[in-house]
Amino acid sequence: VGVTLEQLQALVQESDGGCFSRYLAETLRGQDFASTAWAPSGAGVLGSSLTYAMPAPKDVPEAVRRLVTIPATITGTVKMWLKVSDRADEMIILQHSSTEGFIYSDRFHVEYIYSFRRTDPAEGRLAVRVWARAVWIKPLPWTHSFLKRMVEGEVATETAGQFPKLLRIVEEGCRTG
């Protein structure tokens, strides 16, 4: 990505939710965003959160729709922590993303880890990596265990498919900012 860590950090920490609110608006049709100011949460880590509303996805399989009532609008929350390395050559962002309003939504969250590492300070380029996984807080009833595999598969597929959009939003935001 052709941005500096300083540009990226400024973009992430914008008061309106930064690049992540724009990403959620574009990919999930998120709206009505509310974010907290970034604040120290220990050991050089900054923390923030972002809440939003989004329409229910239309591509939910029929088998799932028969088991789970999905409301027309879903509330989402993203808790974020940011840390810049002591050498100022890498920024790590940890996110816990969750939704509420439908059965079993309280049993898991999606964890994203973003690594932005400076590759060449002269060029101002960053190498970017992302890891994503569903974190199960409480097990599902055995009769619904197939939902776990579906959620985990969807997390992997969506992350791989949508990550280029986040990178584009970051580059566009840094060009205009």
Side-chain angles (χ1 to χ4, degrees), residues 62-77:
E62 184 59 34
V64 174
R65 285 196 182 275
R66 282 196 300 263
L67 292 172
V68 179
T69 302
I70 300 175
T73 302
I74 297 171
T75 300
T77 301

Side-chain angles (χ1 to χ4, degrees), residues 128-149:
V128 184
R129 295 177 66 185
V130 63
W131 296 267
R133 67 184 182 126
V135 176
W136 296 91
I137 301 159
K138 220 162 56 170
L140 295 173
W142 70 269
T143 55
H144 294 129
S145 60
F146 74 95
L147 291 173
K148 180 178 178 185
R149 288 185 301 281

Side-chain angles (χ1 to χ4, degrees), residues 105-158:
S105 61
D106 62 334
R107 295 185 181 222
F108 73 98
H109 64 261
V110 179
E111 180 178 84
Y112 299 94
I113 301 173
Y114 300 93
S115 166
F116 300 89
R117 181 179 289 277
R118 193 182 321 264
T119 57
D120 183 357
E123 289 184 25
R125 296 195 61 80
L126 301 175
V128 184
R129 295 177 66 185
V130 63
W131 296 267
R133 67 184 182 126
V135 176
W136 296 91
I137 301 159
K138 220 162 56 170
L140 295 173
W142 70 269
T143 55
H144 294 129
S145 60
F146 74 95
L147 291 173
K148 180 178 178 185
R149 288 185 301 281
M150 290 181 72
V151 167
E152 290 169 350
E154 190 68 20
V155 167
T157 301
E158 287 293 314

Side-chain angles (χ1 to χ4, degrees), residues 17-175:
C19 59
F20 290 110
S21 64
R22 289 191 276 288
Y23 172 72
L24 292 167
E26 186 173 311
T27 59
L28 299 177
R29 298 184 328 226
Q31 56 195 8
D32 301 329
F33 291 95
S35 62
T36 62
W38 287 87
S41 63
V45 175
L46 298 174
S48 178
S49 66
L50 178 66
T51 57
Y52 60 97
M54 66 180 173
K58 294 183 182 353
D59 60 349
V60 177
E62 184 59 34
V64 174
R65 285 196 182 275
R66 282 196 300 263
L67 292 172
V68 179
T69 302
I70 300 175
T73 302
I74 297 171
T75 300
T77 301
V78 181
K79 295 178 184 175
M80 300 179 274
W81 297 270
L82 176 153
K83 168 94 169 122
V84 176
S85 68
D86 293 338
R87 294 186 314 264
D89 65 345
E90 182 177 26
M91 182 169 64
I92 302 289
I93 299 172
L94 169 65
Q95 292 182 335
H96 287 178
S97 183
S98 60
T99 55
E100 58 185 60
F102 57 93
I103 192 168
Y104 304 139
S105 61
D106 62 334
R107 295 185 181 222
F108 73 98
H109 64 261
V110 179
E111 180 178 84
Y112 299 94
I113 301 173
Y114 300 93
S115 166
F116 300 89
R117 181 179 289 277
R118 193 182 321 264
T119 57
D120 183 357
E123 289 184 25
R125 296 195 61 80
L126 301 175
V128 184
R129 295 177 66 185
V130 63
W131 296 267
R133 67 184 182 126
V135 176
W136 296 91
I137 301 159
K138 220 162 56 170
L140 295 173
W142 70 269
T143 55
H144 294 129
S145 60
F146 74 95
L147 291 173
K148 180 178 178 185
R149 288 185 301 281
M150 290 181 72
V151 167
E152 290 169 350
E154 190 68 20
V155 167
T157 301
E158 287 293 314
T159 301
Q162 302 293 0
F163 189 56
K165 290 180 183 177
L166 177 61
L167 297 180
R168 179 184 46 76
I169 289 167
V170 165
E171 288 185 320
E172 288 173 357
C174 289
R175 274 198 304 270

